Amino acid sequence: PETKYEVISSSVSGSLPGALTQCFKLYVDGTDVTDKITDCEKTGPGSQNQYNIIKITVGGLNNSVYGTFSVQIKIGRTVISK
C-alpha cells in the first residue's frame, strides 16, 4: 500500500508511541490512519529530550486486497518530548 505522512508539530507531550498523533498525520492509500498507531522505532532520548522517530507502525488495517494488516511508515524526523 501507498503510505505518506505530514508533520503537524515537532513536539509531543505524553508517552510514545501514542503521543505521536500530536506530531504526524499518517495515511495509507489516502486514508487517515493516525489513530491506529501501535508502535514506533526510535532512538533517544538525546539532549533536550529529543527522539529520532525512524518509523511508525500502524495496525488493525483491513481491506479486501490485504485482509487485516499492519504497515510501517518510514519517518526519519526528530521530535521533542515535553
Side-chain angles (χ1 to χ4, degrees), residues 30-82:
T31 301
D32 185 340
V33 294
T34 306
D35 62 343
K36 296 183 182 291
I37 293 174
T38 59
D39 198 9
C40 69
E41 183 179 328
K42 65 186 183 306
T43 59
S47 62
Q48 301 170 345
N49 283 332
Q50 293 182 341
Y51 291 88
N52 181 31
I53 307 302
I54 298 165
K55 57 188 166 187
I56 296 175
T57 302
V58 178
L61 305 177
N62 197 337
N63 71 20
S64 58
V65 176
Y66 303 108
T68 301
F69 65 102
S70 295
V71 173
Q72 292 184 331
I73 301 174
K74 292 183 180 180
I75 302 290
R77 297 275 183 160
T78 299
V79 299
I80 299 167
S81 179
K82 294 186 173 184

